[in-house]
Amino acid sequence: YKCSRCSNGYVSDFVNALGHTPKTTTTKATTSKNGSVVTKCSVCGEAISSKTIYYPKSITLSSTSYTYNGNAKKPSVTVKDSKGNKISSGNYTLSYSSGRKNVGKYSVKITFKGNYSGSVTKYFTIKPTATSISSLSAGKKAFTVKWKKKTTQVTGYQVQYSTSSKFKKATTKTISKNSTTSYKKTKLSAKKKYYVRVRTYKTVGKTKYYSSWSSAKAVTTKK
């Protein structure tokens, strides 16, 4: 290399003869701050080159929500720096929480290495299998809804009904037994149209995980 201060513009042979060698210092990028690779003259301190190591600003999982099917889930990870460029997988290791088959919340820990430091933990969930309405019948100021039974990784069900097709101001009834497959709602308005849908849920610890709602069906109560 050529140092203008030490060699006065001469080629690197002159500089090296004086024992002036380049010194490179790497400051690792953290999960929130850029790092750098700076090369300076070891004698006078003149900067010869400088390169920014852009920090990993965006860390995303290929999916953050799965539906239970008995198979272990392992979402892939994409890391991009603060310039939007992809950081290769050689710059970090991945550590997945155990299990990842049953309904619940799981983690992926991304630990950086090389020119990067620090770690970030991302989370994904596995939700229970959804159900569907098998029948919906009208009664006197009432309706009865029946659905398909789901028992694997399912604690119970929720029935939701509303006079709005968009389920505004909806009422939700929780059924705590997964063996129950019907619900009758009484004391409704006569000759009124109601929209009904059902979903499953699974309780893990103190947290309830819900499936997606079934397709809604409509029923008009009798007088």
Side-chain angles (χ1 to χ4, degrees):
Y1 74 98
K2 182 168 65 175
C3 175
S4 60
R5 293 181 182 177
C6 296
S7 65
N8 292 319
Y10 290 107
V11 295
S12 58
D13 287 343
F14 178 83
V15 177
N16 291 334
L18 297 176
H20 299 180
T21 57
K23 180 181 179 181
T24 299
T25 301
T26 299
T27 301
K28 294 184 177 184
T30 68
T31 56
S32 60
K33 187 177 181 181
N34 292 337
S36 63
V37 179
V38 178
T39 300
K40 295 181 179 181
C41 173
S42 62
V43 175
C44 68
E46 180 184 9
I48 298 168
S49 65
S50 178
K51 178 182 178 181
T52 300
I53 305 170
Y54 295 102
Y55 76 94
K57 184 178 182 179
S58 170
I59 303 172
T60 57
L61 303 183
S62 56
S63 180
T64 57
S65 179
Y66 295 90
T67 298
Y68 171 81
N69 64 1
N71 298 325
K73 305 299 184 289
K74 190 177 183 180
S76 59
V77 177
T78 299
V79 182
K80 292 185 178 182
D81 64 25
S82 55
K83 286 291 186 178
N85 299 313
K86 187 175 181 180
I87 296 176
S88 66
S89 59
N91 292 289
Y92 54 86
T93 59
L94 302 177
S95 177
Y96 292 82
S97 54
S98 60
R100 309 190 311 282
K101 287 185 178 182
N102 294 334
V103 173
K105 185 177 181 180
Y106 300 91
S107 65
V108 185
K109 185 177 182 180
I110 302 94
T111 303
F112 291 95
K113 60 182 180 178
N115 287 338
Y116 304 85
S117 65
S119 64
V120 174
T121 300
K122 293 291 184 177
Y123 298 92
F124 65 95
T125 58
I126 300 175
K127 59 186 181 182
T129 306
T131 188
S132 58
I133 295 174
S134 53
S135 68
L136 179 61
S137 58
K140 184 178 179 180
K141 296 184 179 181
F143 67 75
T144 300
V145 59
K146 296 182 180 180
W147 56 86
K148 293 183 179 180
K149 182 165 64 174
K150 300 289 181 179
T151 56
T152 304
Q153 289 294 298
V154 170
T155 300
Y157 309 91
Q158 283 193 330
V159 177
Q160 191 173 75
Y161 59 93
S162 174
T163 55
S164 164
S165 61
K166 294 183 179 180
F167 288 87
K168 294 179 179 179
K169 297 181 180 179
T171 300
T172 303
K173 171 66 177 180
T174 298
I175 290 97
S176 59
K177 292 183 178 180
N178 61 14
S179 58
T180 301
T181 56
S182 66
Y183 170 68
K184 183 177 182 178
K185 175 58 183 175
T186 59
K187 299 180 180 180
L188 296 172
S189 298
K191 294 186 177 182
K192 191 75 174 180
K193 189 174 185 179
Y194 289 89
Y195 296 88
V196 185
R197 60 186 181 180
V198 185
R199 67 179 177 181
T200 65
Y201 74 90
K202 169 69 174 176
T203 302
V204 181
K206 295 182 179 180
T207 303
K208 282 186 173 68
Y209 295 90
Y210 298 94
S211 73
S212 56
W213 288 106
S214 68
S215 297
K217 290 190 176 184
V219 63
T220 300
T221 57
K222 295 179 180 180
K223 186 176 179 181

